[in-house]
Amino acid sequence: MHNPERLTLDVLRDGLEANKQSRASNYVSAVGTTDAGTLLRDELTGEEFLFDADVVINATGAWVDETNDSFGKRTSFMGGTKGSHIVLDHPELLEACNGRELFFEHTDGRIVLIYPMGDRVLVGTTDIDADITEDSICTDEEIEYFFELVAHVFPTIDVRRDHIVYTFSGVRPLPKHDDTQPGFVSRDYRIEKRTDRRAGKNVTTLSLVGGKWTTFRALSENLASEAMTALGMPRKTTTSELQIGGGKDFPRTQAEERLWVNRTANEVADRDRVRVLLTRYGTRATDVLEFLGQGGDQLLASTNEISTRELTYMVQNEQITRLADVLIRRTSLAFRGLVTEAMLTEMAELLAPQLGWNEAESRRQVESARDLLVTMHGMKIAAAV
Ligand SMILES: Cc1cc2nc3c(=O)[nH]c(=O)nc-3n(C[C@H](O)[C@H](O)[C@H](O)COP(=O)(O)OP(=O)(O)OC[C@H]3O[C@@H](n4cnc5c(N)ncnc54)[C@H](O)[C@@H]3O)c2cc1C
């Protein structure tokens, strides 16, 4: 699944590189303001530095108010709700879905879903008022709710806890709501603008309140237009028809996908491998394949879903800095419950020389990835063989 965490931070990082003010990693937080600019912190090294800008875009999702607070500007725009999902390894349920997403109103009036995704079934979601300062974890009560909703549609299919391979939970960046039931709060978005005098000049902060994955292109274009207006630069062109990233020329039907895979498979990657790369990178898979062909490569011993040189590609192009990035954020290995102890160790060994980890750091990476998967995502990690 796409990882929105990177978007905000990448913009900051790119801005920093352009400003040549600091050597920043991918994990940068906005933590305050001074007269000289916005204070940023590299979360990997703890280094703090200033970034000067006439317009600051606060697109920190459900944390927008916390970020504004750290700027010394208290706001109460947000009222996020928690939503959890479970991922099931359940061939019978997968078959019963027959390739279709079931999207329906449950007995409590909430719209819920049972969604076949590749070889797994996703079941979700809840909608509960949340405290954004606390970690969001799928609870036992939510799991019971999911079992109930599956039984509502498929009363003869037995779903148990041992079918769950992964759980995840997040807080929706919804606008503050008073009496409205969480499930009925508007999913629309708005942009809140504040202008302050700082060191003799106007600094505009644009806070994004709300938004969905499905509306992110329109929303980004609107946000960019607002930022340009604040900078006194009129928009000259629209990007609404511009295809971007791995979505560019992405095959639209299964037949087109088969054609794409057949056309792209070569001596570097057979059709199965190309299919994996297309799912992972979209049509950018051709760049990955070109890179894989430029040096020695082999599939990992612990999984045939990723190769040694692909890990190098990720280090060089996909901004991974932690083992968990590969497992959770750049691949679906965790999502599909495929992580094993052998995989953790092998990946850490391969990444260590490329990311400058010594033995102790490699061990720490394995431990923290394991801990994250078990405590935040309810995973049971198969022992090394
Ligand atoms: C359970 C659930 C189900 C959903 N289902 C759907 C769906 O089916 N369809 C759909 O379209 N949308 C869905 N959404 C909504 C979608 O996930 C969000 O709308 C989307 O993630 C918002 O993206 P964003 O980049 O604005 O915010 P986020 O994805 O929340 O990203 C904000 C980022 O800001 C970072 N951050 C926080 N504080 C700071 C700081 N001080 N400095 C720097 N960075 C900071 C955070 O770490 C985070 O990475 C769902 C959300 C949830 C929780």
Side-chain angles (χ1 to χ4, degrees):
M1 225 181 244
H2 149 76
N3 170 37
E5 176 181 301
R6 294 169 54 212
L7 297 181
T8 323
L9 305 181
D10 288 353
V11 171
L12 289 170
R13 193 188 63 105
D14 292 348
L16 284 163
E17 273 170 11
N19 244 27
K20 301 225 180 312
Q21 286 182 325
S22 172
R23 176 195 54 80
S25 77
N26 304 329
Y27 298 96
V28 179
S29 291
V31 291
T33 46
T34 72
D35 266 356
T38 302
L39 187 63
L40 302 180
R41 180 168 60 223
D42 182 329
E43 296 292 355
L44 292 183
T45 62
E47 182 194 359
E48 292 193 344
F49 36 84
L50 285 164
F51 180 68
D52 187 21
D54 296 336
V55 177
V56 175
I57 297 178
N58 178 357
T60 57
W63 295 271
V64 158
D65 289 331
E66 277 62 34
T67 309
N68 283 336
D69 274 3
S70 76
F71 293 161
K73 301 284 162 204
R74 182 163 290 276
T75 55
S76 45
F77 300 141
M78 308 305 298
T81 64
K82 177 194 178 195
S84 298
H85 291 89
I86 54 175
V87 183
L88 302 168
D89 180 4
H90 198 311
E92 188 190 356
L93 182 61
L94 183 67
E95 200 185 326
C97 293
N98 198 20
R100 307 286 163 106
E101 176 182 11
L102 290 97
F103 196 59
F104 58 97
E105 188 177 320
H106 193 33
T107 45
D108 59 359
R110 288 213 58 253
I111 304 296
V112 291
L113 59 91
I114 305 174
Y115 188 15
M117 291 184 79
D119 48 6
R120 301 289 185 256
V121 183
L122 178 71
V123 181
T125 173
T126 46
D127 215 332
I128 303 165
D129 280 325
D131 177 355
I132 190 61
T133 59
E134 283 175 13
D135 282 341
S136 186
I137 303 178
C138 180
T139 61
D140 286 346
E141 208 180 339
E142 289 178 295
I143 290 174
E144 286 306 320
Y145 178 81
F146 297 138
F147 287 171
E148 259 173 45
L149 75 85
V150 175
H152 184 65
V153 182
F154 298 112
T156 59
I157 297 183
D158 178 32
V159 181
R160 297 183 312 270
R161 281 178 190 249
D162 55 318
H163 290 120
I164 302 176
V165 293
Y166 190 72
T167 69
F168 62 101
S169 189
V171 176
R172 301 175 181 85
L174 299 182
K176 190 178 169 67
H177 52 274
D178 295 321
D179 295 332
T180 320
Q181 283 280 336
F184 298 99
V185 177
S186 162
R187 264 47 176 173
D188 211 348
Y189 69 88
R190 66 177 201 273
I191 299 163
E192 290 280 349
K193 181 174 164 183
R194 296 275 190 278
T195 303
D196 303 299
R197 288 297 285 174
R198 217 188 281 157
K201 68 172 184 178
N202 285 338
V203 176
T204 300
T205 305
L206 300 174
S207 299
L208 173 63
V209 181
K212 304 267 294 170
W213 289 327
T214 35
T215 55
F216 89 95
R217 284 294 298 268
L219 175 163
S220 309
E221 190 158 4
N222 270 335
L223 199 49
S225 294
E226 286 273 351
M228 285 159 70
T229 304
L231 291 168
M233 299 163 66
R235 174 180 283 285
K236 294 193 182 126
T237 183
T238 172
T239 58
S240 62
E241 298 298 319
L242 185 71
Q243 295 191 33
I244 58 168
K248 190 168 183 225
D249 300 326
F250 193 86
R252 285 169 189 266
T253 61
Q254 283 184 347
E256 275 184 28
E257 183 179 321
R258 265 195 306 277
L259 256 177
W260 198 95
V261 168
N262 290 345
R263 218 179 36 235
T264 311
N266 56 20
E267 63 283 356
V268 173
D270 63 16
R271 277 183 276 192
D272 286 343
R273 180 88 177 108
V274 169
R275 216 168 283 119
V276 169
L277 296 177
L278 178 66
T279 306
R280 189 168 294 152
Y281 299 94
T283 50
R284 287 193 302 121
T286 49
D287 299 341
V288 182
L289 280 164
E290 194 184 325
F291 181 86
L292 299 185
Q294 287 164 359
D297 191 22
Q298 64 186 50
L299 294 175
L300 265 58
S302 56
T303 174
N304 59 9
E305 299 235 352
I306 192 161
S307 69
T308 51
R309 204 164 156 75
E310 191 188 343
L311 279 179
T312 304
Y313 179 86
M314 287 186 183
V315 171
Q316 294 183 13
N317 300 282
E318 295 284 319
Q319 303 170 356
I320 54 169
T321 48
R322 298 176 290 195
L323 179 55
D325 291 338
V326 180
L327 305 167
I328 299 179
R329 306 187 181 91
R330 306 296 187 276
T331 68
S332 60
L333 289 166
F335 186 87
R336 288 157 61 216
L338 299 177
V339 178
T340 58
E341 286 291 342
M343 188 188 291
L344 293 175
T345 315
E346 186 180 19
M347 274 190 194
E349 270 169 17
L350 290 164
L351 290 172
Q354 307 185 57
L355 290 171
W357 300 340
N358 59 22
E359 214 171 292
E361 178 58 18
S362 295
R363 243 190 338 267
R364 207 190 62 76
Q365 288 289 333
V366 169
E367 278 161 18
S368 91
R370 184 194 296 119
D371 184 53
L372 186 70
L373 294 172
V374 172
T375 57
M376 300 297 289
H377 298 289
M379 280 188 82
K380 296 163 214 74
I381 300 179
V385 276

